[in-house]
Amino acid sequence: FTVKSVPTKPIEGQKTGTSGLRKKTKVFTSENYLANWIQSLFNALGEEAVGKTIGLGGDGRYFNKEAVQTILRVAAGNGIAKVVVGKDAIMATPAMSALIRRRSLYGGLIMSASHNPGGPDEDWGIKFNYSAGEPAPEKITDKIFGFTESILELKLAELADVDLSKVGTTRFGSFEVEVVDYTTEYFDTLKEVFDFPALRAFMTRPDFSLVFDAMHAVTGAYANPLFVGELGGKPDSIRNGVPLEDFGGGHPDPNLTYAHDLVELMWSDAAPVLGAASDGDGDRNMVLGSHFFVTPSDSVAVIAANAQAAIPYFKDGLKGVARSMPTSGALDRVAQKLGLQFFETPTGWKFFGNLMDADKCSICGEESFGTGADHVREKDGMWAVLAWLSILAHKNKDVPEGGKLVSVKDIVMDHWKQFGRNFYSRYDYEGVESEQANKMVQHLEGVIASSSKGQKFGDYVLETADNFSYTDPIDGSVAKGQGVRFVFQDGSRIIFRLSGTGSAGATIRLYIETYTDDASKFELDAQEVLKSIIGTALEVSKLQEFTGRDKPTVIT
Ligand code: VG1
Ligand code: CO
């Protein structure tokens, strides 16, 4: 094949955020937008990538199939030897991480804007993962951005479109494209983590039931082969199980607002024992029991506390645990009790990878419905569901059929009895004007600077206040300005940060938590318990004054 040099010019704003580059689809389909970024990626990787094999796939959203063909041309044009592509351009984010690891690929590209809606008028996105299967670190993403600002040339190979609907290899001289089944490596990895025969035995108990809502997103392609095929679940356990380019017009974000059908079912008389949902690209998860919601912050804590007993992969104990800074302190208490190494990282999965590569962390999580472990280097929605299945199977192993099953709620209540409960909530103010959001953060920086230990904020006495900064314990890299936080003497916290995954304007996130070990309060409503501290947060930040908003767009 021949490689054409095509002139181009820099396009503004191709800077990646918390998780890759995300923009409106129309921006990505504008001339050279995608090709410029991919070319800049290869410019950043340089000689190192030449002759290597990379993975490619995505969450099934609109424009992915076309994007594959463009990416293949730029990859071949830049000396990549081979691209392994998921059939139909499908590859869930954790599945890509598993693919990279199992096949020792140089890296992989994931076409996804995660939980953001898809379609011609919605969002598109792309992300590069490195050789351990982890999201590229900031030193690489900064370098890519640098090249997008000076790019003048695209190296495009002239290739015919590759048929993505069939598994098999297509050769173009020295360049090769292999279309693969997107479940193989991922399921092989999951089988190393969990006891599939035991899960199958539990899944097929007549008194157990599961409903998994794939939200018409990528896990639709995995849920049937996994829960029905491998584990013997009933076909009607899978809801919205066909991936669609626009996710059926929905918002593929597994939370109480967007997964409303599942939520309704779980609070009805027909509620199954376990309910779960996953997001656009399959890395997030929501776990529900009958009439019960497990907050993501609690979920990671419960999984960590039960992992050794319930999941074969962790039978020798955990190396350590980690959570992102705004995630509640529930996991901290588990780490303390079990005597585990514990790490608090900035938001975004890229910070967990180094800890895992250095054997310092086995399980980690974020408040934003992200839970995962060191079997891959991404959060993993299906893994989280299998972890909960394993815990349920373990807790019920002595319960005879027809006996009273230990429920999801029982497991969490029991956890709170041992560790106490961290009441937690997140308020999102979406679509705020960027300038106003920045002004609010500046104002908060001022409050921090003039605050002192012992100062009263509403009912709370300050311990420390800062803008969170993280020094990576492995490579020493520093990430600054990761969120303004007020930590009070009773452990309560107020945190503000700006989202790094939006495609337009700014989103302010307010995270609030308090703690109790008073068992009589465990069943109280978090919103009620948090009312006073939320009032304090709004007062301190002058959020309403800066943004004009008197309520958030989403509460989780
Ligand atoms: C959000 C979440 C963060 C998560 C990120 C990517 O980022 O808060 O915890 O890692 O999305 O998740 P931000 O910067 O908007 O707060 V996903 O499922 O979009 O890959
Ligand atoms: Co996601």
Side-chain angles (χ1 to χ4, degrees), residues 114 279 281 283-284:
S114 190
D279 73 332
D281 60 329
D283 56 358
R284 296 186 179 204

Side-chain angles (χ1 to χ4, degrees), residues 149-269:
E149 291 186 299
S150 61
I151 187 168
L152 293 172
E153 183 201 13
L154 302 172
K155 291 178 198 151
L156 286 182
E158 297 191 313
L159 308 177
D161 280 2
V162 173
D163 180 0
L164 303 176
S165 68
K166 284 187 210 70
V167 167
T169 298
T170 309
R171 284 192 185 82
F172 301 94
S174 59
F175 179 66
E176 205 176 287
V177 180
E178 185 187 351
V179 176
V180 298
D181 180 328
Y182 42 75
T183 64
T184 311
E185 278 79 7
Y186 184 39
F187 287 3
D188 286 349
T189 292
L190 292 175
K191 282 177 193 167
E192 285 176 6
V193 176
F194 299 102
D195 182 348
F196 269 47
L199 293 184
R200 192 180 172 92
F202 183 66
M203 280 279 285
T204 49
R205 267 178 82 137
D207 50 358
F208 176 74
S209 49
L210 162 79
V211 168
F212 179 86
D213 189 337
M215 303 189 85
H216 286 304
V218 80
T219 53
Y222 296 85
N224 245 297
L226 181 64
F227 295 116
V228 182
E230 297 279 349
L231 298 177
K234 297 185 196 74
D236 71 353
S237 328
I238 314 299
R239 305 285 160 89
N240 301 319
V242 179
L244 298 174
E245 288 201 331
D246 67 347
F247 308 120
H251 200 130
D253 198 355
N255 60 35
L256 296 175
T257 307
Y258 293 120
H260 39 77
D261 293 358
L262 178 67
V263 170
E264 211 165 281
L265 174 71
M266 296 311 293
W267 267 265
S268 76
D269 292 343

Side-chain angles (χ1 to χ4, degrees), residues 104-122:
S104 305
L105 304 184
Y106 172 74
L109 284 158
I110 303 167
M111 302 174 291
S112 171
S114 190
H115 52 287
N116 300 12
D121 297 316
E122 300 293 349

Side-chain angles (χ1 to χ4, degrees), residues 26 65 243 263 375 446 463 524:
K26 290 229 159 73
K65 286 182 180 162
V263 170
H375 62 296
E463 178 63 34
L524 292 179

Side-chain angles (χ1 to χ4, degrees), residues 46-66:
E47 277 302 306
E48 195 191 286
V50 173
K52 300 280 165 57
T53 302
I54 60 169
L56 174 61
D59 62 5
R61 75 179 57 221
Y62 175 82
F63 184 55
N64 281 8
K65 286 182 180 162
E66 253 176 274

